[in-house]
Amino acid sequence: MPRLRLATFNLESLDDGPGVEPPLSTRISVLRPLLVRLDADVLCLQEVNAQSDDKRKPRRLAALDSVLAGTGYTEFHRAWSETSSRGPADIHNLVTLSRWPIVEQRQIFHELVPPPQYRMVTATPKPDVASPVTWDRPFLYTCIAMPTGPHLHVLNLHLRAPLAALVPGQKLAPFVWKSVAGWAEGFYLAAMKRSGQALEARLFVDSLFDRDPDAMIAVAGDLNAESRETPLRAVYGDPEDTGNDALSDRALALVENDIPKDRRFTVLHRGNRVMLDHVLVSRTLKARHRRAEIVNEELMDEYFAFVDGVHPAGSFHAPVIAEFDLPNG
């Protein structure tokens, strides 16, 4: 029976150029074998930086090209997020690779949810009017023509990290706050960004269900939240939360729930195992789910690495893999 292996992986600011630490050659030695091991048919990547030798020309995903060189992924179809004028952004692009043709691609950025208006209360100087709170980046949608059966809809998502957002006049240094109140407001703003974009992803998922109640949908990426936190709950839409069993067909399932609890983590933070990277699927796809895996056996603790000034050759995030059976013929 034909299969689909879908994976998501945050590459941790993949970059190249003078001063990049560790150098790309070192990262390739770790990342390339890991990507080959994933053996993915559809691969959702986050934090792919772009490079340019000439500021007058669009940036290119040159570092990613170097990592993928010599692998089967070089022949895959590719979609990526972009800025309005210079191609990919300098940092933290989304890239989706597919063995099969990508028949539609879009990046969604405040198309369904307008930026919330908010007036800061601890900023210096204190603003007189509210300002828009925008997401950090878009999410990337691709529609993939599968070799058998209906098309696959994939949302590649990277939500805002739970780090306090900037509040003017409330910082003494990049990671040092002037007051607890200022930090708390920045933390609130970060949560607003993360939850707001999760809502936009859910609205887009619902639009796919409106067109086809049996749509094969996968939402994959670094959601920077665990399963019972607000962003995840907004995306998967559990009937337990909506209180309406008639909406159960629109709920998404977390494939990680099929992995033993002691293996269910994608990041180590201060000795704690946390699950921040996820693959969520519609019931049609869940019915074909075969197995899931998290490649987390060699993770480095991100907190202690930061304290020690250590940059990973691989990533602080572990890839998540989900495998499905596809229809015959």
Side-chain angles (χ1 to χ4, degrees):
M1 180 176 289
R3 61 113 211 226
L4 159 67
R5 277 176 66 88
L6 185 149
T8 181
F9 189 19
N10 183 326
L11 293 177
E12 203 73 53
S13 293
L14 179 70
D15 207 349
D16 190 18
V20 170
E21 184 62 35
L24 182 61
S25 57
T26 300
R27 301 204 65 191
I28 287 173
S29 67
V30 174
L31 290 174
R32 185 182 292 163
L34 180 52
L35 291 171
V36 171
R37 173 182 169 180
L38 299 184
D39 189 25
D41 301 301
V42 176
L43 179 57
C44 296
L45 301 172
Q46 300 87 43
E47 293 199 21
V48 182
N49 294 356
Q51 299 75 41
S52 176
D53 296 328
D54 186 338
K55 293 183 178 181
R56 296 169 295 181
K57 296 181 180 179
R59 303 181 188 92
R60 299 179 300 111
L61 301 173
L64 178 63
D65 290 338
S66 296
V67 172
L68 300 181
T71 74
Y73 297 115
T74 59
E75 304 300 321
F76 277 32
H77 303 270
R78 182 186 296 191
W80 59 89
S81 55
E82 292 191 335
T83 61
S84 59
S85 60
R86 295 206 57 216
D90 55 344
I91 63 169
H92 291 191
N93 295 287
L94 303 164
V95 178
T96 300
L97 304 173
S98 172
R99 184 181 304 278
W100 304 295
I102 296 172
V103 297
E104 182 185 354
Q105 67 181 71
R106 292 171 58 190
Q107 61 180 33
I108 311 300
F109 187 71
H110 290 298
E111 290 185 24
L112 304 175
V113 178
Q117 299 291 316
Y118 178 73
R119 184 167 67 91
M120 295 186 187
V121 296
T122 66
T124 305
K126 191 172 182 178
D128 295 325
V129 297
S131 299
V133 179
T134 58
W135 319 151
D136 285 10
R137 58 198 140 255
F139 69 78
L140 181 64
Y141 163 71
T142 50
C143 179
I144 297 170
M146 304 300 287
T148 60
H151 289 352
L152 174 66
H153 304 277
V154 178
L155 279 68
N156 186 346
L157 192 57
H158 183 191
L159 300 184
R160 164 85 189 201
L163 296 173
L166 177 66
V167 177
Q170 283 292 337
K171 284 285 196 78
L172 297 175
F175 296 100
V176 181
W177 288 84
K178 183 183 294 185
S179 70
V180 175
W183 165 84
E185 184 168 35
F187 197 61
Y188 168 64
L189 288 168
M192 191 186 304
K193 289 169 176 275
R194 189 164 58 257
S195 297
Q197 192 172 30
L199 169 63
E200 187 156 47
R202 165 40 73 173
L203 293 176
F204 190 83
V205 166
D206 274 0
S207 74
L208 296 175
F209 281 133
D210 288 341
R211 295 189 323 213
D212 179 7
D214 297 317
M216 292 207 309
I217 303 171
V219 179
D222 176 5
L223 276 69
N224 269 309
E226 296 195 274
S227 62
R228 293 307 297 167
E229 294 183 78
T230 298
L232 260 291
R233 292 169 69 176
V235 173
Y236 64 67
D238 195 322
E240 198 174 277
D241 287 327
T242 64
N244 187 348
D245 288 340
L247 299 175
S248 60
D249 287 351
R250 290 189 171 225
L252 302 181
L254 286 158
V255 301
E256 69 211 42
N257 289 340
D258 293 339
I259 298 173
K261 284 187 177 181
D262 64 331
R263 299 290 303 162
R264 203 181 299 169
F265 63 95
T266 61
V267 171
L268 291 174
H269 181 81
R270 213 168 187 174
N272 297 309
R273 298 177 172 187
V274 289
M275 187 77 194
L276 302 182
D277 305 81
H278 305 270
V279 176
L280 304 95
V281 296
S282 60
R283 61 179 176 84
T284 305
L285 198 52
K286 175 60 178 174
R288 298 186 171 279
H289 186 223
R290 179 188 299 173
R291 59 186 293 269
E293 179 185 358
I294 304 172
V295 187
N296 54 16
E297 54 267 31
E298 296 185 9
L299 274 181
M300 180 185 298
D301 191 301
E302 63 173 2
Y303 175 81
F304 294 117
F306 173 77
V307 170
D308 294 337
V310 176
H311 302 277
S315 174
F316 289 128
H317 291 254
V320 181
I321 311 160
E323 190 168 317
F324 308 87
D325 293 322
L326 292 177
N328 282 313

